[in-house]
Amino acid sequence: MQYNISQEQNDRKKSFINNKLYEYNLKHFPKYLRGRYQEINLYLTDENDQICGGILGEICWNWLEIHTLMIDEDIRGLGYGSKLLLEIEQIAFKNKCDFIKVDTLSFQALDFYQHHGYQVYGTLDNVGRDYKHYYLKKNL
C-alpha cells in the first residue's frame, strides 16, 4: 500500500480527522464525561446589531477553552471584555467544568486575564521574534 501526503482546504477530510481523534479520546475518558462538547460563542453588538466584540470557546469534557476574546479598540477599557469573560465563566460553572484555559500573546491581554484570576502555567519565547506566548488556567 502506498500513502500520500497532501495539503488542501477540505472540510470533509478535516471533519474526518477531528472525529477520528475524538473517537480515540473517548476510549480514555470516563463515561460520565463522554459527549460533553459544546461551542460557546457570545457576541457584543451595538444598537444597530453591529458586532463590537465577542468571546468564542468550547466546553470539552471537564473544561472550557477560550479560543478568542476580542473587543473593538475604540471601546476597550469600558468593561465589556470583563463582562464577556464573567459570562462565559458562569456558563462553564453551570456546566460543571473544573477549569478554564486560554492563551494570549505578550502584547495582547496577559494582565487582563491575570486580573481576573487566571494563572500562567506555561510560556513560549521567541514568538514573532519579540514576543511571548502565555498559557493560562483558572480553576473553578
Side-chain angles (χ1 to χ4, degrees):
M1 171 95 38
Q2 184 175 347
Y3 297 95
N4 300 302
I5 296 174
S6 64
Q7 179 182 353
E8 58 187 281
Q9 297 297 320
N10 185 308
D11 289 340
R12 182 186 61 81
K13 290 180 181 180
K14 179 180 175 183
S15 180
F16 178 85
I17 296 298
N18 281 327
N19 286 334
K20 291 300 268 188
L21 178 61
Y22 180 77
E23 290 171 7
Y24 174 80
N25 289 345
L26 279 179
K27 297 175 189 176
H28 299 277
F29 277 86
K31 287 184 180 180
Y32 72 90
L33 290 177
R34 293 183 184 175
R36 285 185 38 99
Y37 177 84
Q38 177 185 0
E39 283 189 29
I40 307 293
N41 301 318
L42 305 174
Y43 304 101
L44 177 67
T45 56
D46 67 14
E47 65 273 3
N48 298 315
D49 203 33
Q50 296 297 306
I51 299 169
C52 303
I55 189 166
L56 312 176
E58 64 186 5
I59 293 172
C60 188
W61 290 299
N62 64 319
W63 72 86
L64 184 139
E65 183 166 355
I66 297 170
H67 296 295
T68 304
L69 172 58
M70 187 284 301
I71 302 294
D72 281 349
E73 287 187 57
D74 57 334
I75 61 169
R76 289 183 188 163
L78 300 178
Y80 295 111
S82 294
K83 288 178 183 180
L84 285 168
L85 187 61
L86 293 173
E87 180 71 24
I88 206 166
E89 287 177 357
Q90 286 301 310
I91 292 169
F93 184 77
K94 288 176 186 174
N95 281 277
K96 297 181 173 71
C97 293
D98 295 322
F99 62 92
I100 298 173
K101 63 181 185 170
V102 64
D103 62 273
T104 191
L105 297 171
S106 53
F107 63 88
Q108 291 176 327
L110 177 63
D111 293 339
F112 171 81
Y113 288 115
Q114 289 179 317
H115 175 77
H116 286 87
Y118 289 75
Q119 297 181 331
V120 174
Y121 68 87
T123 61
L124 288 174
D125 294 326
N126 198 29
V127 175
R129 303 215 183 194
D130 296 326
Y131 305 108
K132 286 189 176 189
H133 196 144
Y134 293 93
Y135 299 88
L136 299 102
K137 176 183 172 187
K138 181 176 183 177
N139 291 320
L140 298 177

